[in-house]
Amino acid sequence: MKIEKIKNLWNKGFSYSHQKLISNVIPKISNIEATNACGMKCIMCPRQNMTRKIGFMDIKLFEKIIRQAEKGSKVALHFFGDPLLHPKIGEMIKICRKYEIKSSLSTNPTSLTKENIQKILDSGLDYLHISLDGATKQTYEKIRRGMANYKQAIEYIENFLSEKIKRKTRKPITTIAIIRMKETEKEINDFLNQWKNKPGIDKVDVKDFIAWGGGIDTINQLASEFSRHYKRREYYPCFWPWSKICVLWDGRVVPCCSDFDGKYILGDLKKQTLKEIWNSRKIQILRRQCRDNDFPKNHLCYGCREREGFKPSRFFPLNLITQKRFKIFSYFKFN
């Protein structure tokens, strides 16, 4: 399995470097949206602009999709919602284990109820990302809004860590995170100090601010001047169309996690296979647009600051050595 993974990874880099419109690889399923339901109304989240209906992925559809995923890959069970709100999230995690897929999910602390803590630990979740985004009550509740309650959030996190330690288990590997933006900039050091030596926490992450394609002015205004995406001026063709996809709760496939409203549908896994979608006419058009940096003004990718890639070249992988922004072979982080 490791040899096949390395071979597939190499082919992704080769297809991207040569800008091939047909990509003969197994694409990574980056995210499967268990649900787009959420109890929060975060100021940096575009879900308030989301027009698609709220729903929960059917468990049979989920297993059908997971069967097509690359063995040994990692799949995030979240997209634009809190996966712990799905009543069968524990079963979904077990299905991932059945097909040798590593599972991860990102959740709000208020969803770490006693019942959900048991589901997480009993099912064998591999990675858990806790989105806290504040070192004080004032900042946390200003950013998260909705059901946000800082005292309860800390209590629920402590409950989870206590149970994880009690069971003497390393899984799930647990990250607690804060997004770097104007509202949090002054609290980042306090946040790091608060959690860096906390038993049960494996990583404290300061995430770069994402503007979701840059199409929402109220979100753009939140970007910190220290953000890598905020400062960048150089772009290469985006690596996503040659590497991975995201799946909405109803089975429809979108190009990346900036497409929160399902504006650019590549296919439907209820009716098609992943293989059929991966080299469809629609995704070939997207690859050509990325290659030529030729997007209509209303396109999902037009003006996006989150595009990631490296300078394409027929001399792959030697071209990676000359990259100024990336260390040699750093493109592997996109996988």
Side-chain angles (χ1 to χ4, degrees):
M1 187 171 68
K2 287 183 178 179
I3 293 174
E4 288 301 314
K5 279 191 70 177
I6 293 171
K7 181 180 177 181
N8 195 49
L9 194 57
W10 176 274
N11 288 337
K12 286 179 185 180
F14 184 87
S15 295
Y16 173 83
S17 276
H18 287 68
Q19 298 289 276
K20 291 180 175 292
L21 299 187
I22 297 291
S23 177
N24 295 317
V25 302
I26 302 172
K28 176 179 172 59
I29 302 176
S30 176
N31 300 70
I32 299 178
E33 185 179 66
T35 178
N36 61 340
C38 186
M40 298 293 184
K41 296 179 180 179
C42 305
I43 60 175
M44 66 288 189
C45 179
R47 64 178 293 109
Q48 55 263 38
N49 297 80
M50 187 169 64
T51 60
R52 59 190 177 98
K53 66 179 182 179
I54 303 299
F56 298 82
M57 180 169 279
D58 178 78
I59 196 75
K60 291 182 179 178
L61 174 60
F62 179 78
E63 185 163 7
K64 177 186 176 184
I65 296 168
I66 287 294
R67 280 202 304 265
Q68 300 176 67
E70 181 185 9
K71 291 287 190 295
S73 63
K74 182 173 78 170
V75 175
L77 307 184
H78 59 270
F79 190 51
F80 273 86
D82 191 328
L84 289 184
L85 297 181
H86 196 297
K88 295 186 177 181
I89 191 63
E91 291 181 45
M92 289 178 160
I93 296 167
K94 290 177 182 177
I95 287 171
C96 288
R97 290 181 63 194
K98 176 181 175 182
Y99 292 98
E100 301 177 57
I101 303 297
K102 295 178 182 178
S103 58
S104 72
L105 61 83
S106 177
T107 189
N108 298 301
T110 51
S111 294
L112 289 172
T113 61
K114 290 182 179 180
E115 180 183 1
N116 281 334
I117 289 172
Q118 298 303 315
K119 285 182 182 180
I120 289 170
L121 295 173
D122 290 345
S123 60
L125 180 71
D126 292 289
Y127 301 92
L128 176 66
H129 183 102
I130 302 173
S131 300
L132 186 57
D133 292 316
T136 63
K137 172 182 171 66
Q138 181 181 8
T139 299
Y140 173 75
E141 294 182 3
K142 177 184 177 182
I143 290 173
R144 287 283 165 176
R145 300 186 304 182
M147 296 170 58
N149 180 310
Y150 185 70
K151 182 179 179 181
Q152 184 188 65
I154 299 301
E155 178 186 344
Y156 280 20
I157 293 171
E158 294 285 0
N159 290 345
F160 166 74
L161 296 177
S162 176
E163 185 64 22
K164 180 184 174 183
I165 292 167
K166 180 181 176 182
R167 294 194 185 200
K168 298 180 180 179
T169 177
R170 185 159 182 251
K171 288 187 177 181
I173 295 171
T174 304
T175 298
I176 192 163
I178 185 169
I179 297 174
R180 186 186 297 277
M181 53 184 173
K182 289 177 181 177
E183 277 71 11
T184 62
E185 192 65 52
K186 294 180 180 179
E187 292 189 9
I188 288 193
N189 286 336
D190 289 341
F191 187 88
L192 293 170
N193 291 331
Q194 182 180 359
W195 296 103
K196 65 181 180 181
N197 295 317
K198 193 75 172 177
I201 295 290
D202 298 286
K203 181 182 178 182
V204 184
D205 192 16
V206 180
K207 296 179 64 179
D208 231 348
F209 180 83
I210 294 176
W212 312 108
I216 303 172
D217 289 339
T218 53
I219 293 179
N220 291 337
Q221 293 168 8
L222 299 172
S224 164
E225 62 184 77
F226 299 102
S227 167
R228 176 171 63 86
H229 292 141
Y230 183 85
K231 293 187 292 184
R232 73 185 299 181
R233 292 294 179 267
E234 185 179 34
Y235 297 91
Y236 295 121
C238 186
F239 197 76
W240 273 76
W242 282 270
S243 176
K244 47 193 173 180
I245 49 91
C246 296
V247 186
L248 306 181
W249 68 265
D250 57 5
R252 293 181 298 161
V253 173
V254 293
C256 75
C257 45
S258 287
D259 194 0
F260 62 90
D261 210 21
K263 296 295 186 184
Y264 199 103
I265 301 299
L266 298 174
D268 188 341
L269 284 168
K270 286 185 296 188
K271 306 170 185 177
Q272 301 167 278
T273 65
L274 182 60
K275 187 176 180 180
E276 289 170 341
I277 293 170
W278 185 237
N279 282 309
S280 64
R281 181 173 178 272
K282 198 157 188 181
I283 199 169
Q284 288 186 54
I285 290 172
L286 178 60
R287 287 173 186 149
R288 179 187 57 75
Q289 290 171 326
C290 286
R291 179 194 68 193
D292 301 338
N293 194 27
D294 181 24
F295 302 103
K297 286 193 175 180
N298 62 343
H299 195 280
L300 172 72
C301 306
Y302 184 84
C304 177
R305 286 187 169 184
E306 278 81 58
R307 280 184 271 166
E308 294 285 10
F310 52 87
K311 190 174 183 179
S313 169
R314 293 186 179 276
F315 296 102
F316 171 82
L318 297 177
N319 59 313
L320 297 181
I321 299 173
T322 64
Q323 302 304 307
K324 294 180 180 179
R325 290 176 53 247
F326 297 91
K327 295 179 180 179
I328 185 169
F329 297 118
S330 66
Y331 92 95
F332 285 98
K333 76 175 184 176
F334 297 123
N335 293 270

